[in-house]
Amino acid sequence: MTESTTTRLAQRVKLKDAHLVTKMAEIAETLDDVIKLGRGDPDLATPDHIIKAGQDALANGGTHYTHALGIAPLRQAIADNIRAHGGADYAIDEIVVTPGGQHAMFMIALALLDPGDEMLVPCPGYNPYAQAAEMAGAQVVQVQMTMETNFTLTAEMIREKITPKSKILVLINPNNPTGTVTPPDEVERIARLAIEHDLIVISDEIYARLVYGNQRIQPVASLPGMRERTITLSGFSKAYAMTGWRIGYFAGPRELILPMSEINHAFAISVAAVSQHAALAALTGDQDCVEDMRRIYDERRLALIKGFQEMGIPYAEPQGAFYVYADVSVTGLPASLFCERLLSEGRVMIYPGRIYGDHTDDYARVSLTQSVPRIREAIERMKSVVHTIRQEQKVPAA
Ligand SMILES: Cc1ncc(COP(=O)(O)O)c(C=O)c1O
């Protein structure tokens, strides 16, 4: 793009981070047999019974707009599912089905944030939250997490960043990109802090079904005093491998949800009917598929961290989602450069933590979105690139 065309863009358009991913995608296109551990898009297929429900919906006239909030049986199934997992009680007019959880972030930000308001976001964290707040003209306040707390949020970290302008706190649990879990007792402390400072909490629980070992996710909205100030955001992309169906949802107290649903209607009218029927089958059908996928990610997680241990690369203990966040700077290169070299020399794609707002350029996120043999192959390629880099570091400059 020339300078004259970019100056026509609105000031809210930020180009700064997008190019890192775009650049890597461009390099990958020139290479054969790249092991893609970048995007958070499961390689696993949507389970058959869900696909079948989508096909049946198409055959039976599911080709129209639906109710703006989503078809009633789906909203009922979402409410039942939230309750079954220890979440709050929601009526079906307190749930909005959206074209993906990501879309929901923008609806929520546009409905709740005025210019001057501040939104606290975990950092590193899923960056569209910050983009949504900026688009609404609000200020993003990053709450920086470190390896000291295994990259999980604590109430104390958040407290330090609260100002009279703070309005929303985003909690992503398990977190992307770090794959870490904020434990239930800390979630309770965070909830009490939100009440003390009258914050609205966006509780992103999209990875809540994917946790490992004895980890447990405490839904925020069911804690005392939290239902009225929490928007629960989730979706089907991760637990049911349904990224391409573009369907998610948010739930919250009626007085907040109704205005948000109007904005959602203005942007999308309704979610594709076919995806809604498939999502209904996902929630009401056999849940073994979720457990099967969780077990697959768990095996991949163990295979990957074994490789990091062999290479002497430290990582945050992965407790949920399907990511491992590793300190690749021990190789001697900043993470962004390491990722570029790993791609061009090792044909393995992973993403630098900077994409997720990490202030350091030390960490990279590896997605567990390939089979164990491919992950093992990726580790071997990584070892070879790390070896080359370490050799170079020893060579004195000419
Ligand atoms: C933390 C988190 N929330 C929400 C989403 C949005 O997912 P989708 O729009 O596919 O529902 C993602 C996607 O990667 C995510 O990582």
Side-chain angles (χ1 to χ4, degrees):
M1 219 181 293
T2 65
E3 206 181 322
S4 63
T5 49
T6 52
T7 53
R8 290 190 201 147
L9 291 169
Q11 284 174 16
R12 76 175 73 86
V13 178
K14 301 272 192 307
L15 292 168
K16 57 181 191 289
D17 281 339
H19 74 273
L20 264 173
V21 171
T22 315
K23 193 169 161 188
M24 292 184 60
E26 279 167 8
I27 298 173
E29 265 173 35
T30 66
L31 302 168
D32 283 335
D33 187 30
V34 173
I35 303 179
K36 291 185 178 160
L37 306 173
R39 281 179 109 179
D41 187 356
D43 57 318
L44 306 169
T46 304
D48 287 345
H49 68 282
I50 301 176
I51 294 178
K52 171 86 172 36
Q55 288 166 336
D56 288 349
L58 287 177
N60 295 316
T63 54
H64 298 274
Y65 296 138
T66 70
H67 188 294
L69 300 185
I71 56 173
L74 175 58
R75 285 182 286 132
Q76 187 59 56
I78 291 169
D80 295 344
N81 188 261
I82 291 175
R83 202 177 311 112
H85 287 95
D89 252 319
Y90 292 110
I92 66 167
D93 61 346
E94 293 179 307
I95 292 168
V96 185
V97 179
T98 57
Q102 184 147 318
H103 174 99
M105 295 167 198
F106 288 80
M107 301 304 98
I108 297 166
L110 289 174
L112 294 180
L113 291 169
D114 281 316
D117 288 341
E118 290 178 357
M119 179 158 102
L120 298 142
V121 296
C123 181
Y126 191 56
N127 52 328
Y129 282 106
Q131 290 172 304
E134 282 173 359
M135 211 157 265
Q139 291 298 315
V140 176
V141 177
Q142 296 180 325
V143 184
Q144 192 75 34
M145 304 177 291
T146 63
M147 193 72 121
E148 243 171 81
T149 62
N150 196 44
F151 283 100
T152 60
L153 272 187
T154 67
E156 279 323 299
M157 281 173 196
I158 298 165
R159 186 185 293 281
E160 280 173 24
K161 298 284 184 170
I162 291 177
T163 76
K165 292 179 179 168
S166 306
K167 184 159 186 194
I168 297 183
L169 166 68
V170 176
L171 179 63
I172 308 168
N173 201 21
N175 189 39
N176 174 11
T178 57
T180 56
V181 167
T182 302
D185 57 344
E186 198 59 53
V187 173
E188 285 173 24
R189 278 191 279 278
I190 292 170
R192 286 198 292 274
L193 185 69
I195 293 170
E196 191 188 322
H197 291 274
D198 196 21
L199 302 177
I200 294 171
V201 176
I202 302 177
S203 182
D204 184 327
E205 298 170 16
I206 200 164
Y207 295 103
R209 300 285 89 76
L210 301 174
V211 291
Y212 310 107
N214 52 12
Q215 298 298 330
R216 184 173 76 78
I217 299 299
Q218 169 61 54
V220 174
S222 57
L223 290 170
M226 290 307 291
R227 190 189 182 286
E228 71 246 37
R229 59 175 67 253
T230 303
I231 310 284
T232 302
L233 182 150
S234 192
F236 299 85
S237 291
K238 313 296 174 172
Y240 298 96
M242 289 179 69
T243 47
W245 296 80
R246 305 311 304 128
I247 182 160
Y249 60 87
F250 59 91
R254 191 170 287 118
E255 57 281 12
L256 294 183
I257 289 299
L258 281 181
M260 286 178 195
S261 70
E262 286 304 316
I263 300 177
N264 190 50
H265 182 256
F267 271 70
I269 302 184
S270 66
V271 174
V274 56
S275 300
Q276 295 191 55
H277 287 280
L280 176 61
L283 288 182
T284 54
D286 196 336
Q287 298 303 297
D288 284 357
C289 58
V290 180
E291 177 54 16
D292 291 347
M293 289 192 266
R294 193 198 65 81
R295 246 191 251 124
I296 289 172
Y297 294 129
D298 196 9
E299 281 170 20
R300 295 173 177 185
R301 174 183 80 107
L302 297 174
L304 182 65
I305 62 179
K306 182 166 173 286
F308 280 140
Q309 285 163 4
E310 287 162 5
M311 282 183 275
I313 292 180
Y315 52 86
E317 183 62 31
Q319 303 159 323
F322 40 63
Y323 307 109
V324 179
Y325 203 55
D327 182 358
V328 293
S329 73
V330 295
T331 60
L333 287 185
S336 44
L337 213 57
F338 176 78
C339 292
E340 261 185 70
R341 291 211 31 198
L342 181 64
L343 177 58
S344 49
E345 295 168 33
R347 291 170 294 123
V348 176
M349 190 194 278
I350 63 174
Y351 285 166
R354 268 176 44 192
I355 293 172
Y356 307 95
D358 199 332
H359 290 189
T360 73
D361 195 7
D362 292 345
Y363 287 82
R365 183 190 85 171
V366 186
S367 294
L368 301 167
T369 47
Q370 295 284 314
S371 66
V372 169
R374 287 295 273 174
I375 285 178
R376 291 208 179 110
E377 167 69 18
I379 291 164
E380 291 312 310
R381 294 184 191 185
M382 208 181 287
K383 279 182 184 167
S384 153
V385 174
V386 169
H387 180 74
T388 309
I389 294 168
R390 285 185 170 149
Q391 292 283 101
E392 286 170 8
Q393 309 289 317
K394 284 189 204 129
V395 177

